[in-house]
Amino acid sequence: MATALPDDILHLLCEELARQECFDTLFNCACSSKSLAVPALTHLYRSHHLAPVRNGGEDEAVILPTKQLVVQRWSILWRSIIASSMNATLFPYCRYIRILDFRDLENLLEDDQFKGKVMKQFFSAPLDQVYKKQSKTFGNPSRQHVRLDVPAIIDAIGEVVTQHTPMLDTISGELLSHALVRWAPRLPRLQTLELKNGSPLEDELVHASIYEHCPQFNSLSIYTWTADERDHKLASFIGTVQPQSLRLIETFRDIGAGAETFLALNSHSETLKDLRLCVSSDSLPHLSLLRSCTALEAVRLEDSDGLTNLEKTQNDVFLEIVDWLRKCESLRRLSFSGFQSAASIVGRVMLEDKIKLRKLEIDSYLLKEHQLFHQALVNQRASLRFLSLSGDADGMFRDDVDILVDSLKQLAGLRVLKLLDFHEIFSDDHLIFIIDSLSLLEDIYVTGVEIKDGVLESAGRLENLRNVAFAGISKFTTDGLLEFISLLGPGNQGIRVMIDMADPATLLTETEIVLVKQSLWEKVGGVLDYVPYKDPDISEFEGDSD
């Protein structure tokens, strides 16, 4: 008789399958034997938020019958979680989940394919108790339109599910303040709130409930928030959280966070590791108030207005921000979006020898004015793994381009390189020099004046390349693409090649495209996206007259 593996080994195996998102394999394991069912289902539902059917598969190109099937499976996933909280399933799936994403549930309920048989099956017993509807009148008062009351449904589902989710550490969605007050006592492991709307933070009862019942709370994300005195209200909430406990705060839009919020965050200066803020022209000058938050490992700052050049208009604030970031010696990831002074700030930060950046993203900067920033990149060559640059290349001279190319060539540790909107400055030789120097690249996005087969050949020699996008006008030939494919090896398995702006003068025929796609698939299981260039100055309706 074969010896059965211990339960802890089975859990480890299933945990690894979940980490690799092998959902089909986990399902088959659950069906194969009683000993595997619990570990397989535990990790299947613990990682359900990564399931490919969520959000309807998020692929708009699929045909309607396939879309309907995906939505049906999506609804079954949610139904199984909810029904399990009502003791109506063989296993208590809800007890396994760590993340409860009501944004996804809302998307399901509002999806066009969630109607008819799918909706009827979803709300059949025992879920009939969470079915809520509302009537609306359009035009004629005697004609009423009945539709799902999505907020009420989500509130009812949350009320049931949160009573049976002891492992839950994250809740996402548009949550009601009174719901959070009711749920908090049941969620002692809650660490993360991802609020679609920040309005629940206006309720002091929410502050008190999280403080009293959620001692592990450490992460807050807010998508939008429109209210008076938002800065004060957010600062008040942060002030009620256990001191030195917040690890992450994130705002996706300008929610009014300003001086009061920044000062309040200093009470978490030792624990705050990840800061992602969207600020406005009004709050931008107050960023230096975060000066005590020097334990940061990741910073993402977005200027929603993009109008203020701090270096030129408020140099004292500019220097204070530089001084603050240079003291963040654990800083590893830095991202600026819409910041006119970003390159000037980062150039000075990168010269601090104690800072070892692994990821850097900057957009909206004028390349010709930032030679020092390009030169400073070299100071991070030992640590930098991800670099994304996007800016205005107008007015660049040959020396400016040579400085940038020379710096990029020295970043030998890069795995990801994205050079966006540089169409007019990089020649084939520039791209070849860069790619040939960066042998560890796995992901490339480049633009250029006219990209030809020589660049393909350089890319084909990258042993770990998995994604490559040529966004400049390209003049690749069939022979060049086939030669590129012939150079690929085992490390390029599953590669995706995107050619976004193929020159109409050298456009491949449909037969040639099919040949290249087939060859790429047969060699390394890769896929090709081939899109002709469309001149923005020529209307798609232009052509021969009738």
Side-chain angles (χ1 to χ4, degrees), residues 259-543:
E260 290 192 58
T261 297
F262 302 157
L263 284 171
L265 286 172
N266 286 304
S267 64
H268 302 275
S269 59
E270 298 174 12
T271 57
L272 191 62
K273 304 295 183 183
D274 199 338
L275 179 70
R276 311 175 192 179
L277 294 178
C278 180
V279 296
S280 65
S281 298
D282 293 334
S283 53
L284 192 61
H286 301 299
L287 276 173
S288 59
L289 294 174
L290 290 159
R291 64 176 66 93
S292 296
C293 299
T294 56
L296 289 164
E297 298 174 0
V299 173
R300 188 205 76 198
L301 297 174
E302 178 183 352
D303 182 354
S304 62
D305 298 325
L307 302 175
T308 306
N309 189 320
L310 287 176
E311 184 180 18
K312 295 180 179 179
T313 62
Q314 301 181 59
N315 193 253
D316 55 338
V317 175
F318 167 81
L319 293 175
E320 289 172 353
I321 293 175
V322 171
D323 183 60
W324 160 49
L325 291 176
R326 292 189 69 173
K327 291 178 180 176
C328 300
E329 296 179 0
S330 299
L331 197 60
R332 296 295 178 264
R333 303 189 302 279
L334 191 54
S335 173
F336 282 86
S337 179
F339 255 74
Q340 289 194 22
S341 306
S344 296
I345 292 172
V346 177
R348 289 162 172 78
V349 172
M350 289 193 298
L351 293 176
E352 177 60 54
D353 289 334
K354 293 181 179 180
I355 290 179
K356 305 296 181 185
L357 293 179
R358 293 184 63 84
K359 182 175 182 178
L360 175 61
E361 297 176 281
I362 291 184
D363 66 14
S364 305
Y365 79 105
L366 193 61
L367 276 71
K368 72 174 183 178
E369 294 183 356
H370 291 96
Q371 290 186 359
L372 292 179
F373 163 67
H374 295 150
Q375 292 169 328
L377 286 168
V378 179
N379 204 48
Q380 300 294 317
R381 62 184 178 275
S383 59
L384 204 58
R385 298 293 180 265
F386 183 113
L387 178 63
S388 177
L389 300 177
S390 174
D392 187 346
D394 285 351
M396 287 190 76
F397 296 104
R398 179 171 180 175
D399 287 350
D400 301 322
V401 179
D402 289 344
I403 288 172
L404 175 57
V405 171
D406 185 63
S407 294
L408 292 174
K409 286 168 54 180
Q410 298 184 58
L411 306 179
L414 279 184
R415 269 60 168 181
V416 178
L417 176 63
K418 298 185 177 184
L419 303 173
L420 293 73
D421 302 328
F422 295 172
H423 296 87
E424 300 177 0
I425 65 171
F426 286 140
S427 66
D428 270 22
D429 287 342
H430 292 136
L431 294 176
I432 290 170
F433 290 153
I434 294 169
I435 293 172
D436 284 348
S437 303
L438 308 179
S439 60
L440 300 178
L441 282 176
E442 301 172 5
D443 192 332
I444 307 174
Y445 185 107
V446 293
T447 58
V449 181
E450 286 184 351
I451 311 176
K452 303 185 186 71
D453 289 346
V455 179
L456 275 176
E457 185 177 347
S458 292
R461 289 194 290 267
L462 296 172
E463 296 181 355
N464 301 309
L465 188 64
R466 296 296 180 86
N467 291 283
V468 56
F470 300 104
I473 297 177
S474 61
K475 294 190 173 184
F476 298 138
T477 66
T478 302
D479 289 342
L481 285 164
L482 293 176
E483 176 63 21
F484 162 76
I485 294 169
S486 72
L487 295 171
L488 301 178
N492 308 118
Q493 193 68 31
I495 189 172
R496 179 164 190 170
V497 181
M498 291 179 284
I499 300 172
D500 289 342
M501 301 172 66
D503 191 334
T506 58
L507 207 60
L508 273 61
T509 66
E510 287 297 326
T511 301
E512 290 171 326
I513 294 172
V514 170
L515 172 63
V516 173
K517 287 184 175 182
Q518 183 176 352
S519 300
L520 184 61
W521 175 258
E522 291 176 351
K523 183 68 184 289
V524 289
V527 295
L528 169 70
D529 294 331
Y530 187 84
V531 181
Y533 169 70
K534 293 182 179 180
D535 191 331
D537 296 325
I538 299 177
S539 169
E540 61 180 301
F541 299 108
E542 284 190 29

Side-chain angles (χ1 to χ4, degrees), residues 28-149:
N28 289 331
C29 288
C31 296
S32 65
S33 69
K34 292 182 179 180
S35 60
L36 263 175
V38 170
L41 288 170
T42 296
H43 292 285
L44 185 65
Y45 278 88
R46 188 169 291 174
S47 56
H48 81 281
H49 56 285
L50 302 173
V53 296
R54 283 165 49 90
N55 278 312
E58 297 183 315
D59 189 348
E60 297 179 359
V62 299
I63 59 176
L64 183 59
T66 303
K67 176 73 172 178
Q68 292 171 335
L69 180 60
V70 171
V71 171
Q72 185 179 31
R73 291 174 175 172
W74 183 16
S75 70
I76 291 172
L77 173 63
W78 271 106
R79 178 177 164 80
S80 64
I81 293 173
I82 300 163
S84 68
S85 67
M86 302 173 179
N87 296 317
T89 56
L90 183 61
F91 292 93
Y93 308 122
C94 61
R95 297 185 65 84
Y96 308 143
I97 66 174
R98 293 176 47 250
I99 296 176
L100 190 56
D101 187 353
F102 287 121
R103 294 170 302 181
D104 184 68
L105 178 57
E106 181 180 355
N107 291 339
L108 169 65
L109 298 175
E110 294 179 346
D111 193 283
D112 290 340
Q113 305 306 318
F114 184 78
K115 55 186 178 182
K117 291 183 179 179
V118 176
M119 185 173 72
K120 185 177 181 180
Q121 175 61 31
F122 183 84
F123 286 112
S124 61
L127 268 64
D128 53 344
Q129 62 184 281
V130 298
Y131 175 71
K132 311 288 181 181
K133 62 183 180 179
Q134 58 182 349
S135 299
K136 286 194 174 182
T137 301
F138 298 98
N140 189 341
S142 63
R143 299 182 62 184
Q144 290 189 329
H145 178 69
V146 178
R147 56 182 298 176
L148 294 178
D149 188 346

